Amino acid sequence: MGERIRSRNTLVIEEWEDIAAWAGDHIVTGPEGAATITEGYLDTGIPIAGPGAPLISEFAVMELVAVLGRSPDGGKAYVGRVVECAWRLPNVYAAVTAGKLAPWRAERIADLTHGLCAEAAAFVDRQLFNASGVGWAQLERLITEAVLRFDPEQAETDRNNAADHRHFDIGQVDEHGLVHLDGLLDAADGHDLNLAVARRAEVLGKLGDDSSLDVRRSKAAAELARQDLALDLIVPDDLEGPGVSRLAGARTSTTGHTIPGRKVVLNVHLTDTSLLDDTNPFANPCANPVGRWEEGRCPISTAQIREWLRAKDTTIIVRPVIDLAEHVPVDSYEIPDRHRTRVILRDHTCRFPHCTRPAQRCDIDHHRPYGEGGVTCPCNEVPLCRRHHRAKTHSRWRYDIVMPGSYLWTSPNRFQFRVDHRGTHPVHPPDQ
């Protein structure tokens, strides 16, 4: 089976190389690079790949697709993916031809980069020198960051257009007295709502509700609505008028009832240049248009961060920069909060091969056990989700710290994997 798979991949790689060579022989460079006259017919150069890739003869594409035995649309898309990789993603293409990256994975990458500008596509390609270890979620975050960095005006336009589609709808009551909800919310609003529902669902469970978690979450959402409906505070039209005074985080009436402000924490990471030009963030070449939202685990535009910071009743806390390379051990087994923060910011996720559970929800493992002389220090601390923490503790899974943030795992059957910020990469097969 393994030999047949390798033979099949070899044939696909050879086909990719033939298509790339064929495309180089059928580039249309007529007037304005748009079309040429071939034997009395207008042979239009068509953009089958993203900006910066050559225009390929439309008639030649038709012939090639027929020879390949593919449908016109599917065949054109397939050839376009090969051209996208060969011209705009040279690192990805080299990985395919070297047998390090499966062609089908490269096709998926090409689909995601097709609409990017040349600079953004080149940025993505530079990050994918070993694309075999990159997961789809990580790749989509990389695409998002590329758009924010190299086409911020378009990213902002897309963000505003998407925001116009926000909604929150309650459907018709069905025969069982139930309704379906459908909504599209601002990410921060959705995060707030999820935390509120999760907290109330947990409280319901502790109070004796033995329903499933899903059912308790639905009850919790209803309780949030009833809490608002039960408020007897009459808010005047002018919140700054008589009877209302501003306090930190809330507005209070003379009767003592409050309208609570946002009570959750949104952690965002950004540089000191991110918010330099408040009026036009794209005019200053030194401004960094990309921040990172910790809870969402994704890059996010500074324009979105500005909107969140300007929300009413929002308290902004600026924390000092944390040196992730700092190692200050403590003389105890318990992991102090400052260690946990450094480890989370350094590793982001569980460090077991291919695991993507956020580090915020992981245990912090002593690489060398404390009882065996291991120190309680960030250099000896690694985030592992509960499942993989148990695997490391109770099975023959083991890992070595190559350097802080980079780990070499060995499975019970001696398969080895390198895990770092680029993903998971197999090192070599087990000894025979």
Side-chain angles (χ1 to χ4, degrees):
M1 176 66 75
E3 184 61 34
R4 287 199 294 271
I5 292 175
R6 284 189 290 271
S7 298
R8 182 188 65 188
N9 286 340
T10 298
L11 292 176
V12 174
I13 291 170
E14 291 176 354
E15 182 174 274
W16 273 51
E17 294 173 331
D18 291 341
I19 291 174
W22 167 91
D25 294 334
H26 293 86
I27 296 174
V28 172
T29 58
E32 300 180 356
T36 57
I37 300 296
T38 303
E39 297 181 354
Y41 295 94
L42 184 67
D43 187 9
T44 303
I46 55 175
I48 59 175
L55 303 177
I56 307 298
S57 162
E58 182 180 20
F59 294 159
V61 170
M62 293 178 185
E63 182 180 34
L64 176 64
V65 169
V67 171
L68 292 173
R70 293 174 175 261
S71 67
D73 291 339
K76 176 182 172 183
Y78 169 62
V79 174
R81 295 184 194 109
V82 176
V83 172
E84 174 80 6
C85 292
W87 267 265
R88 303 216 311 155
L89 305 172
N91 286 326
V92 171
Y93 183 76
V96 172
T97 56
K100 297 179 180 179
L101 178 64
W104 68 268
R105 292 181 66 91
E107 287 191 53
R108 172 61 175 156
I109 294 171
D111 282 338
L112 293 174
T113 62
H114 184 98
L116 301 182
C117 65
E119 295 82 0
F123 170 80
V124 172
D125 185 57
R126 288 194 298 271
Q127 311 305 312
L128 295 178
F129 69 93
N130 193 341
S132 61
V134 177
W136 298 129
Q138 183 180 354
L139 177 61
E140 290 175 354
R141 290 195 294 271
L142 182 60
I143 297 294
T144 299
E145 179 176 351
V147 175
L148 290 172
R149 284 188 183 278
F150 297 99
D151 199 357
E153 293 88 349
Q154 184 60 47
E156 181 64 8
T157 298
D158 293 343
R159 187 182 73 85
N160 289 327
N161 289 340
D164 289 340
H165 291 86
R166 286 174 291 179
H167 64 275
F168 191 83
D169 301 318
I170 299 179
Q172 297 292 327
V173 179
D174 67 12
E175 67 274 17
H176 304 295
L178 305 173
V179 296
H180 283 275
L181 304 182
D182 178 67
L184 181 66
L185 282 67
D186 174 87
D189 293 340
H191 179 68
D192 290 359
L193 180 59
N194 182 59
L195 287 180
V197 169
R199 178 182 177 280
R200 283 180 172 269
E202 180 182 2
V203 170
L204 287 174
K206 291 181 177 179
L207 292 177
D209 190 329
D210 59 357
S211 304
S212 68
L213 177 60
D214 286 340
V215 172
R216 282 188 279 118
R217 283 178 62 89
S218 71
K219 294 178 180 179
E223 285 200 1
L224 287 174
R226 280 191 287 272
Q227 181 190 37
D228 182 75
L229 293 174
L231 291 177
D232 57 3
L233 171 62
I234 301 176
V235 182
D237 292 336
D238 182 4
L239 290 178
E240 302 300 331
V244 177
S245 60
R246 283 197 177 274
L247 296 178
R251 292 185 294 272
T252 307
S253 76
T254 54
T255 60
H257 297 90
T258 62
I259 304 173
R262 177 171 281 166
K263 297 298 184 183
V264 299
V265 177
L266 298 176
N267 292 294
V268 295
H269 302 263
L270 64 167
T271 67
D272 58 349
T273 62
S274 296
L275 304 176
L276 280 179
D277 191 340
D278 189 55
T279 57
N280 183 3
F282 311 125
N284 191 327
C286 295
N288 181 2
V290 184
R292 185 170 66 83
W293 180 29
E294 186 169 300
E295 285 76 14
R297 301 170 59 209
C298 61
I300 196 163
S301 73
T302 52
Q304 179 68 76
I305 295 174
R306 283 190 187 89
E307 287 192 8
W308 290 348
L309 296 182
R310 288 169 175 162
K312 291 182 178 179
D313 304 316
T314 297
T315 300
I316 303 171
I317 300 174
V318 179
R319 295 192 175 98
V321 174
I322 296 175
D323 182 2
L324 301 184
E326 184 180 63
H327 304 299
V328 181
V330 296
D331 189 21
S332 67
Y333 173 78
E334 289 74 22
I335 308 288
D337 288 342
R338 66 178 185 275
H339 283 194
R340 171 176 284 274
T341 299
R342 279 179 171 79
V343 171
I344 289 172
L345 291 175
R346 182 189 68 204
D347 290 333
H348 300 300
T349 65
C350 171
R351 294 289 81 187
F352 191 86
H354 300 292
C355 185
T356 59
R357 181 173 291 275
Q360 294 94 326
R361 289 187 265 159
C362 290
D363 300 334
I364 302 298
D365 175 55
H366 283 80
H367 166 240
R368 182 180 180 186
Y370 183 80
E372 298 176 12
V375 295
T376 300
C377 174
C379 62
N380 190 49
E381 297 165 356
V382 181
L384 295 178
C385 69
R386 184 58 54 85
R387 176 190 301 176
H388 296 137
H389 195 177
R390 290 175 56 248
K392 181 259 184 180
T393 303
H394 302 295
S395 76
R396 289 188 293 145
W397 274 101
R398 293 293 180 266
Y399 67 90
D400 293 317
I401 300 178
V402 180
M403 59 182 295
S406 180
Y407 311 95
L408 181 64
W409 281 84
T410 303
S411 74
N413 290 308
R414 298 179 61 81
F415 287 94
Q416 290 191 315
F417 306 87
R418 188 179 75 256
V419 181
D420 54 30
H421 68 282
R422 301 183 185 94
T424 299
H425 312 282
V427 176
H428 56 71
D431 296 333
Q432 301 297 326

